[in-house]
Amino acid sequence: MQPLTSDKADPPVDTSSETSKLRTSQQRVSRRRFLKSMIGSIVAAPFLMGAYSRWVEPKWIRSRELTIATQRLPQAFQGMRIAHLSDLHFGDHTSEQEVDSLISRVMKARPDMICFTGDLVEDHKVSGKAIIPYLKKLRAPFGQYAVLGNHDYRRGTDLATEVLTEAGIDVLTNKARILSHIGSSMAIAGIDDALDGTPEMGNALASVPDEMWTLLLAHEPDWADYTVSSHVDMQLSGHSHGGQIRAPFYGPIFLPEMGKRYPDGVYTLPREHDHPLMVHTSRGLGTTLLPLRLFCPPEWTMITLQSEM
Ligand SMILES: [Fe+2]
């Protein structure tokens, strides 16, 4: 009788072919997943970048420390620390709370002098007067000074001048102050806005002897091309916002008129047979036109003066 079961083995299954089929299908799935995530990333990147440039970077105000060596600086002012603020553009995109927090940070650093280089209020819907209580906290032993920017002219110079003056900030429109310390003197001068105002270097420096170390506040950095013809030793400016939006390996996509030649950081302009002009351009605190910043965070700078032989 034939057994009901047989010991005869089943024909061998080709497992290597099954495994390879499985592997191929897994590879297809993972390739599909990879392609999907690639496409997802490509689609999402502009949105993420847009959100970052709108909501993250403009709020990320950094403080920069800089030492600038300058010839002719009297020993009495060696090591002087100047807080350089610019382009607040208070309004829709910069709140009262942000201004308050910024000013607390500046005052915590205990500057010897505070300089604001223009463009105080941006938005037509807000009153600059709302920030007077915060601006009143800006106090330094050698004083607090400002000039007007082109946006201050758009809002009305009366408003900017009134806000700054009421806050105890000296608005230097084509004029200068002489500061004395331990038997030495220096001058701080300011020039009216070069685009919308009436800049008068003759008036700004009328009370300043040529041999006196002089700091000039000028909203537009490219004014330095005129400043270099004077005896001024250092110019502080803003206006360019460093471009506000920068592309990697390219730099600023757009720079405003009078903010193209010296748009960001420290520059040395040589003079024949004379001391060079040092220029510092701040990227500023706020935004204008588009409320965006990309690879160009807002900033304020603490500049330490160092005398150079
Ligand atoms: Fe500005």
Side-chain angles (χ1 to χ4, degrees):
M1 199 173 162
Q2 284 291 320
L4 290 174
T5 55
S6 164
D7 285 341
K8 205 173 158 189
D10 288 335
V13 175
D14 184 356
T15 52
S16 69
S17 136
E18 286 296 316
T19 311
S20 105
K21 270 185 199 159
L22 186 63
R23 208 174 289 147
T24 313
S25 110
Q26 276 174 344
Q27 274 173 350
R28 257 190 229 125
V29 170
S30 62
R31 198 180 307 148
R32 216 176 296 142
R33 265 194 208 139
F34 173 73
L35 283 173
K36 263 188 188 170
S37 62
M38 271 284 284
I39 292 165
S41 307
I42 289 166
V43 172
F47 291 103
L48 290 172
M49 198 80 101
Y52 169 79
S53 63
R54 173 66 182 90
W55 303 110
V56 180
E57 195 169 303
K59 306 292 173 194
W60 175 32
I61 298 177
R62 65 178 185 168
S63 55
R64 280 213 283 188
E65 292 268 348
L66 270 180
T67 297
I68 302 182
T70 167
Q71 294 177 18
R72 308 201 314 157
L73 182 74
Q75 193 56 34
F77 298 101
Q78 157 81 16
M80 186 186 215
R81 295 164 77 241
I82 302 172
H84 180 198
L85 285 70
S86 198
D87 299 80
L88 184 65
H89 291 272
F90 173 66
D92 264 357
H93 312 303
T94 315
S95 68
E96 284 181 45
Q97 290 70 28
E98 283 162 344
V99 175
D100 190 25
S101 137
L102 162 79
I103 288 171
S104 299
R105 283 173 66 191
V106 173
M107 289 312 296
K108 218 171 167 185
R110 301 166 66 88
D112 297 311
M113 181 191 278
I114 300 166
C115 295
F116 178 74
T117 47
D119 282 1
L120 187 72
V121 179
E122 172 73 6
D123 201 286
H124 285 246
K125 288 178 285 209
V126 299
S127 165
K129 291 184 179 177
I131 52 171
I132 292 175
Y134 309 112
L135 295 176
K136 274 185 175 172
K137 295 180 191 168
L138 287 173
R139 290 293 180 270
F142 287 92
Q144 43 288 327
Y145 307 91
V147 285
L148 302 178
N150 52 324
H151 284 258
D152 296 319
Y153 271 87
R154 284 174 204 169
R155 277 306 309 272
T157 49
D158 290 352
L159 174 76
T161 308
E162 195 184 324
V163 168
L164 290 162
T165 307
E166 213 172 299
I169 297 170
D170 197 353
V171 183
L172 300 173
T173 304
N174 297 329
K175 60 186 171 193
R177 305 282 182 222
I178 310 285
L179 309 174
S180 296
H181 182 53
I182 332 177
S184 295
S185 298
M186 64 162 271
I188 172 158
I191 194 80
D192 197 5
D193 183 69
L195 289 173
D196 294 312
T198 313
E200 297 279 357
M201 278 296 262
N203 292 343
L205 300 175
S207 61
V208 184
D210 282 2
E211 63 277 10
M212 187 176 283
W213 190 90
T214 303
L215 174 67
L216 179 78
L217 308 185
H219 180 63
E220 285 85 0
D222 294 0
W223 184 258
D225 289 340
Y226 298 95
T227 307
V228 79
S229 307
S230 72
H231 76 268
V232 166
D233 297 80
M234 188 180 292
Q235 176 183 305
L236 300 185
S237 296
H239 181 60
S240 66
H241 297 201
Q244 239 180 249
I245 297 170
R246 289 171 161 247
F249 311 110
Y250 180 77
I253 289 168
F254 167 79
L255 288 168
E257 192 185 349
M258 292 289 288
K260 296 180 194 296
R261 285 172 57 78
Y262 313 105
D264 177 30
V266 179
Y267 301 89
T268 305
L269 276 68
R271 289 178 174 114
E272 222 177 319
H273 314 302
D274 216 340
H275 60 283
L277 168 67
M278 303 306 295
V279 177
H280 176 251
T281 307
S282 168
R283 290 181 175 182
L285 295 155
T287 54
T288 187
L289 298 174
L290 296 171
L292 306 173
R293 276 193 183 260
L294 189 61
F295 307 124
C296 187
E299 67 178 20
W300 66 276
T301 317
M302 185 67 92
I303 299 169
T304 302
L305 299 183
Q306 192 178 67
S307 45
E308 188 182 58
M309 293 300 124

